Amino acid sequence: MSKEMTGAEMVIEALADQGVTHIFGYPGGAVLPIYDAIFQQERVKHVLVRHEQGAVHMAEGYARSTGKVGCVLVTSGPGATNAVTGLTDALMDSIPIVCITGQVPTHLIGNDAFQECDTVGITRPCTKHNYLVKRIEDLPRVLHEAFYVAASGRPGPVVIDIPKDIQFAKGTYSGPQNIKHKTYTPKIKGDLDKIKAAVELMASAKKPLFYTGGGVINSGKEASHLLRELVKLTGFPITSTLMGLGAYPAADPQWLGMLGMHGTYEANWAMHDCDVMICVGARFDDRITGRLDAFAPNSRKIHIDIDPSSINKTVKVDIPIIGDCAHVLEDMTRLWRSSSFQPDKKAMAEWWKQIDKWRARKSLSYRPSKDIIKPQYAIERLFELTKDKDTYITTEVGQHQMWAAQFYRFQEPNRWMTSGGLGTMGYGLPAAVGVQMAHPKSLVIDIAGEASVQMTMQEISTAVQYRLPIKVFILNNQYMGMVRQWQELLHGNRYSESYSEALPDFVKLAEAMHAHGIRCQKPGDLDDAIKEMIDIDKPVIFDCVVDQKENCFPMIPSGRAHNEMILSDAAESLEDAITEEGKMLV
């Protein structure tokens, strides 16, 4: 249905037509017409953030936990540039975001006007697509097209830059009908001949391995169900990237844990020794592959990905399948069933026997303490006390993030929100706000480090304003932990600027921000303190004081192979194993 309205009104109408219920933003001069339109309606709820980076992270948490497109509204100039970190984060992790930015009037573009910047130019490298709308006639199409581009194919962020005079201008609005992009038509169904070849190769495998990533989760819950079905049918072991956690249940015996730089011993050795690798929705990131010339050297590789540019980009594969994970997995499962394929039982028994030997190393083991809280123990207790609740986990970036991935055992998709590709400190707290806004009755916990969390701590005020009872669970070791670990192991204990001096009293900070503060220093007090955190119906900052010297193992040093990983009981041999000409290749 077509009707006349202003550009600002079109923005709200399009958001409502796209099913948007929440938009995260911060007002400014170049978007005031849109904010005026927001004021005069009730269909789209605006969430006032404290910094534009936080707005995008909130939208990411919202999108990642719901499968919907996250929406952001910021002003021109610094509003847009402050959003760049979040947009890059969303691009790296394939999160669907539509970010609407205000712009100076069209006649001032290029004149260095107040709060002007080249938003399209600045965001071109960190978005899937972006638009500068110069005609009111184009605005309805662009608004709807942006949602299509953000959500279809490999998801990602899209920016719509709208000059202020376009927001005031009047034009004819039309709703979303058969919205497509004239050049962007992602391939959804995989090539059936290649899928057949993949299934035949899987049936011939002696040492197979499923390697799965965030693409399975992005494809929707049906993809996770199909993955579980196919893994059970084949009896193959399965591992996952950081972004893929939850697509397959961690409690299942076929699950080997996360692989990669801080993955389990069994997952990394299985990757190194496998003869057939089935990569589903992952992109062979450097944190996964290690040294490329030693990556799964004896394997034949199947790669399922909806993004053609990811195929053979980093690792050459034998059978590339371009298509949506859910569709390809459905075809694979059907063909496996109809062809009555059976894996080599004797070979599979030997493969699992070898995997069990690797598992026996207990690579995630650590030395417990009765006097000081070990960070691994803190995550274990957090998991045990929340696993039966409707829980969502976000994280900041660093050691705590890796410990959360290792010790919080996810059983379902869309429950784990973390910054994988960009590694953005400050992601977790605002992401938790976005998740809690989407799931108001759920338990939402940001597992944080005391350094990371300070980067976006102001967003506690957003949580307080909207009565969102997020829990910020800080593993406080008074260091930028991962930086300190590398300095200890690779730079002769020279802790250059990694000690977190002048830390705030997090309990008092929580109280000052009208949240609730808890501090815990003893292992024996931890369970009761976590229960208190869970039970309080308001934002909580939990200062969990942990061992300052604990390192995150296993660890594959950067530039090394999976069979060169370091376990905690072998850390003293690290220097000999990972130095080249006396210097680490980072």
Side-chain angles (χ1 to χ4, degrees):
M1 182 178 175
S2 298
K3 48 187 173 182
E4 188 177 76
M5 58 181 71
T6 66
E9 291 168 338
M10 288 181 186
V11 170
I12 304 306
E13 195 73 18
L15 293 175
D17 284 347
Q18 290 289 342
V20 174
T21 55
H22 295 83
I23 187 166
F24 303 90
Y26 201 92
V31 283
L32 286 184
I34 298 175
Y35 273 88
D36 192 50
I38 287 173
F39 186 83
Q40 299 181 61
Q41 56 82 51
E42 296 181 351
R43 292 176 294 172
V44 179
K45 181 175 182 178
H46 180 271
V47 179
L48 179 65
V49 306
R50 273 38 178 186
H51 190 280
E52 290 88 353
Q53 177 185 340
V56 186
H57 293 329
M58 289 179 197
E60 287 185 275
Y62 188 97
R64 184 78 173 171
S65 65
T66 62
K68 300 177 181 178
V69 176
C71 293
V72 178
L73 176 61
V74 299
T75 194
S76 63
T81 58
N82 281 346
V84 164
T85 296
L87 292 170
T88 310
D89 191 272
L91 181 71
M92 294 286 279
D93 287 344
S94 305
I95 309 299
I97 300 292
V98 168
C99 178
I100 298 167
T101 61
Q103 185 55 273
V104 299
T106 52
H107 68 277
L108 289 179
I109 291 176
N111 286 308
D112 294 329
F114 177 66
Q115 291 194 333
E116 181 195 359
C117 72
D118 180 6
T119 299
V120 167
I122 289 169
T123 63
R124 185 172 287 119
C126 63
T127 55
K128 186 176 177 181
H129 194 56
N130 60 18
Y131 302 85
L132 172 60
V133 182
K134 291 186 175 181
R135 298 184 335 129
I136 187 66
E137 293 82 3
D138 296 331
L139 184 57
R141 173 188 60 80
V142 167
L143 288 163
H144 296 306
E145 194 174 280
F147 279 85
Y148 169 79
V149 173
S152 61
R154 179 180 176 180
V158 176
V159 162
I160 311 171
D161 200 29
I162 311 177
K164 193 169 184 179
D165 56 322
I166 302 299
Q167 298 171 40
F168 279 122
K170 286 195 172 184
T172 303
Y173 172 81
S174 55
Q177 295 176 348
N178 301 317
I179 298 297
K180 290 184 179 180
H181 190 276
K182 58 185 176 182
T183 59
Y184 180 61
T185 52
K187 186 179 180 184
I188 302 300
K189 294 284 287 183
D191 184 286
L192 200 56
D193 288 337
K194 289 184 177 179
I195 295 173
K196 288 178 180 176
V199 170
E200 289 171 2
L201 179 58
M202 289 163 58
S204 70
K206 308 295 183 185
K207 297 189 287 185
L209 180 69
F210 278 101
Y211 152 42
T212 61
V216 179
I217 292 172
N218 287 341
S219 184
K221 291 186 178 179
E222 182 61 22
S224 294
H225 293 320
L226 288 163
L227 175 67
R228 297 172 187 214
E229 184 180 355
L230 185 58
V231 170
K232 283 300 173 188
L233 279 172
T234 60
F236 295 174
I238 178 171
T239 182
S240 166
T241 67
L242 178 74
M243 296 303 293
L245 296 177
Y248 194 85
D252 191 272
Q254 286 171 248
W255 170 249
L256 305 187
M258 183 179 72
L259 84 159
M261 180 170 279
H262 292 287
T264 65
Y265 189 76
E266 55 268 31
N268 283 327
W269 267 99
M271 178 63 89
H272 184 268
D273 276 11
C274 70
D275 67 345
V276 173
M277 177 196 307
I278 309 104
C279 175
V280 188
R283 58 184 177 88
F284 295 97
D285 175 76
D286 64 289
R287 291 301 200 220
I288 295 299
T289 62
R291 197 173 81 233
L292 282 172
D293 62 0
F295 175 65
N298 301 313
S299 70
R300 297 186 68 188
K301 300 172 181 69
I302 301 163
H303 188 189
I304 303 166
D305 203 299
I306 199 164
D307 181 7
S309 70
S310 291
I311 302 290
N312 292 323
K313 178 180 180 180
T314 305
V315 172
K316 182 171 174 54
V317 300
D318 299 277
I319 304 177
I321 302 171
I322 300 170
D324 180 82
C325 291
H327 289 276
V328 176
L329 288 170
E330 183 179 28
D331 286 337
M332 287 180 110
T333 303
R334 177 177 51 79
L335 286 171
W336 185 277
R337 285 186 185 280
S338 63
S339 302
S340 300
F341 281 121
Q342 290 293 330
D344 185 325
K345 291 185 179 180
K346 183 178 178 181
M348 286 297 295
E350 287 298 313
W351 183 224
W352 276 109
K353 186 177 178 181
Q354 177 60 65
I355 289 170
D356 287 339
K357 288 181 181 178
W358 291 325
R359 274 180 168 161
R361 294 294 299 269
K362 298 187 182 301
S363 63
L364 297 182
S365 60
Y366 61 93
R367 293 184 181 90
S369 171
K370 293 182 180 179
D371 301 316
I372 190 168
I373 299 172
K374 295 288 185 174
Q376 303 95 321
Y377 176 74
I379 303 297
E380 285 182 328
R381 296 316 304 155
L382 184 68
F383 170 68
E384 288 298 325
L385 294 168
T386 60
K387 65 182 181 181
D388 296 326
K389 300 181 184 296
D390 181 23
T391 306
Y392 293 82
I393 300 292
T394 71
T395 77
E396 310 296 335
V397 168
Q399 285 179 320
H400 63 275
Q401 176 191 31
M402 295 298 106
W403 283 317
Q406 291 172 339
F407 290 94
Y408 202 100
R409 299 172 62 78
F410 294 93
Q411 308 303 319
E412 298 294 335
N414 305 102
R415 299 288 174 152
W416 165 248
M417 276 57 65
T418 195
S419 174
L422 194 61
T424 307
M425 294 174 70
Y427 167 90
L429 199 165
V433 171
V435 175
Q436 191 78 79
M437 188 63 76
H439 308 276
K441 296 183 179 180
S442 301
L443 175 62
V444 181
I445 303 172
D446 170 30
I447 297 175
E450 84 290 336
S452 278
V453 77
Q454 290 186 81
M455 290 201 166
T456 53
M457 178 60 79
Q458 67 273 12
E459 302 305 341
I460 282 287
S461 292
T462 303
V464 169
Q465 178 178 341
Y466 294 95
R467 296 177 175 82
L468 302 173
I470 64 169
K471 320 299 181 186
V472 183
F473 189 76
I474 301 172
L475 298 184
N476 185 352
N477 59 11
Q478 294 186 281
Y479 278 95
M480 299 174 203
M482 195 63 81
V483 174
R484 183 205 57 76
Q485 176 170 334
W486 283 57
Q487 288 173 335
E488 175 188 329
L489 301 176
L490 310 175
H491 299 281
N493 296 306
R494 292 181 292 277
Y495 301 127
S496 178
E497 303 300 322
S498 58
Y499 182 64
S500 297
E501 294 191 66
L503 280 175
D505 181 323
F506 286 110
V507 173
K508 290 182 179 178
L509 180 62
E511 293 168 354
M513 300 181 83
H514 307 290
H516 182 80
I518 300 172
R519 179 178 292 112
C520 185
Q521 296 177 283
K522 297 295 182 182
D525 299 333
L526 188 56
D527 278 20
D528 286 343
I530 291 173
K531 290 174 184 175
E532 178 187 347
M533 176 188 76
I534 293 168
D535 290 342
I536 290 173
D537 189 27
K538 65 188 298 188
V540 176
I541 299 176
F542 188 119
D543 186 10
C544 185
V545 181
V546 300
D547 190 343
Q548 291 186 353
K549 299 294 181 69
E550 196 72 11
N551 285 331
C552 186
F553 291 111
M555 173 181 172
I556 300 176
S558 185
R560 297 295 163 170
H562 287 95
N563 62 342
E564 296 175 295
M565 69 188 306
I566 307 300
L567 300 182
S568 57
D569 59 358
E572 66 276 3
S573 64
L574 186 66
E575 242 178 69
D576 293 336
I578 63 175
T579 56
E580 179 172 322
E581 298 179 348
K583 291 184 178 180
M584 179 63 198
L585 298 178
V586 179

